[in-house]
Amino acid sequence: MQPGFCTFLRFFTLMMFCALCSGCLHLDVPPARIEFVSINHNSYSLYDVRFTSDRDLIHLYEAHGRGGQISTSLHCSLDGDLDFSVEHNIALEGYGLIEDMRLIEGDRRYEMLASIRFEDNEDRTGSSDIARSRLVRLLEPQDYVPCKVVITAFPFTAYYSKVMYVPTSRIIAEVKNPRIAPRQVSLKPADRPLTWLQFEPVCIVRWREELSPAYDQIDDVGLCRDAPYAGLLASFAPSNKKLRLITWSDQTPKPLTAYTLIRGDGRREPGISAENGDTHLVGSMTRETLKVEVGAGIGAKERWTPQI
């Protein structure tokens, strides 16, 4: 299902809810206090946001002897718009359903998980996802973005939590960090790679990024000990290097520019260049040739780093 259609469907559902609930009941429960815990890049445009709450928001209405809870979602405003009401459409927002919850033992608090995507609800191109380079530029002038949990239930008016403030530095770090670290997966014995060590953990060792469908695809699996150097581990590789993005015309660095590095084995590692134009660090067992996909008029210089 296309992101633009999902946004339209969500907006249509909320409008129908508002129309049906013009004379709705009100749940007499104080707004929940929610506090940010972490954000992690999941895949493609999805980010896992964890936060705590002093109330069980997934079963809120049931816990107070009511039924009809429709959806429980997290909304974050990226443009300073603090109107989180269901009748209002925030132009630039992070949005996602709350998918999981656990009770923090002895603390009487609940930890929630929402997988959100950052959307431009006024985009008319058919794809509402905000490009990562644009998202960084939107967030950099801000220290925090405000978020609220919104719960809809029939025949009640919408329920809203208190405001939670998420540090933009934490979001930017995840937006800039390419998701290339291998994940451990469970495979049936018949599907495992041939090896004498049948009980070794199996990891995804290569991803491929496709435009359609717009999700990462598993390209290869293997033993975790054969996984490529990625993320922080790249600095410990026998060979490592960065590229620096520059403009061809005047050879000046290009900061905060979206790029995709293509490794020697075909792996694609997307990222956003640093303030000095550098890409992320690449590590490998042997020297390899890198290719880079960038915009017109931009090139790359190879920068070898000292071996560790």
Side-chain angles (χ1 to χ4, degrees):
M1 187 177 292
Q2 294 296 322
F5 179 74
C6 292
T7 302
F8 169 77
L9 185 61
R10 172 163 59 88
F11 179 74
F12 177 77
T13 303
L14 288 176
M15 289 304 99
M16 288 296 294
F17 173 80
C18 294
L20 291 172
C21 259
S22 58
C24 289
L25 301 174
H26 176 72
L27 184 67
D28 190 19
V29 176
R33 179 181 177 181
I34 59 176
E35 297 179 345
F36 172 73
V37 174
S38 66
I39 181 170
N40 293 286
H41 189 186
N42 182 337
S43 62
Y44 187 59
S45 58
L46 289 177
Y47 295 80
D48 289 342
V49 177
R50 294 187 181 274
F51 60 95
T52 60
S53 168
D54 59 357
R55 300 185 186 280
D56 177 355
L57 298 177
I58 292 182
H59 308 101
L60 182 67
Y61 284 76
E62 180 183 339
H64 290 83
R66 307 288 186 170
Q69 188 159 332
I70 298 173
S71 70
T72 308
S73 53
L74 181 67
H75 297 254
C76 297
S77 174
L78 306 181
D79 56 4
D81 188 347
L82 295 177
D83 185 356
F84 289 93
S85 62
V86 294
E87 299 87 0
H88 177 68
N89 191 33
I90 297 176
L92 301 171
E93 73 166 344
Y95 163 82
L97 296 176
I98 296 177
E99 302 177 345
D100 195 16
M101 179 193 70
R102 72 180 182 92
L103 176 65
I104 302 176
E105 295 293 341
D107 203 5
R108 299 188 64 184
R109 287 190 303 166
Y110 302 86
E111 184 179 87
M112 310 279 176
L113 169 66
S115 291
I116 70 171
R117 63 195 323 142
F118 298 103
E119 301 176 334
D120 182 346
N121 292 322
E122 295 185 339
D123 189 0
R124 298 293 182 264
T125 65
S127 176
S128 61
D129 288 336
I130 300 175
R132 289 186 301 156
S133 53
R134 181 190 176 198
L135 182 56
V136 170
R137 288 187 170 91
L138 282 172
L139 294 174
E140 281 197 320
Q142 310 177 63
D143 293 325
Y144 299 90
V145 294
C147 304
K148 274 191 178 184
V149 171
V150 179
I151 303 177
T152 56
F154 186 81
F156 293 85
T157 56
Y159 173 90
Y160 304 93
S161 71
K162 291 184 178 181
V163 176
M164 170 179 71
Y165 292 96
V166 178
T168 54
S169 59
R170 299 284 293 275
I171 304 175
I172 292 172
E174 287 302 311
V175 173
K176 287 185 175 181
N177 183 33
R179 190 187 62 80
I180 55 176
R183 291 182 176 177
Q184 187 168 319
V185 295
S186 298
L187 295 178
K188 297 178 181 178
D191 297 330
R192 286 176 172 268
L194 294 177
T195 173
W196 293 104
L197 304 173
Q198 287 298 315
F199 298 103
E200 272 204 59
V202 175
C203 283
I204 300 168
V205 297
R206 187 168 65 243
W207 293 88
R208 68 174 183 273
E209 185 181 0
E210 296 185 352
L211 296 179
S212 180
Y215 297 97
D216 295 334
Q217 304 291 315
I218 296 175
D219 193 46
D220 192 20
V221 296
L223 299 178
C224 290
R225 57 181 170 83
D226 297 328
Y229 290 95
L232 293 176
L233 295 178
S235 60
F236 295 96
S239 296
N240 50 64
K241 61 182 175 182
K242 296 179 180 179
L243 300 182
R244 174 165 290 176
L245 303 187
I246 58 172
T247 56
W248 286 123
S249 57
D250 56 9
Q251 301 289 296
T252 57
K254 288 288 293 181
L256 303 178
T257 301
Y259 64 85
T260 299
L261 290 182
I262 304 175
R263 303 290 297 270
D265 61 0
R267 278 182 290 127
R268 301 170 64 87
E269 300 181 0
I272 296 176
S273 61
E275 295 291 343
N276 62 356
D278 282 1
T279 65
H280 63 277
L281 185 66
V282 172
S284 63
M285 290 296 296
T286 59
R287 294 170 66 97
E288 66 178 79
T289 300
L290 297 177
K291 297 180 181 179
V292 62
E293 291 181 352
V294 285
I298 304 175
K301 283 186 175 180
E302 195 169 281
R303 299 187 64 243
W304 286 93
T305 60
Q307 292 188 3
I308 299 178

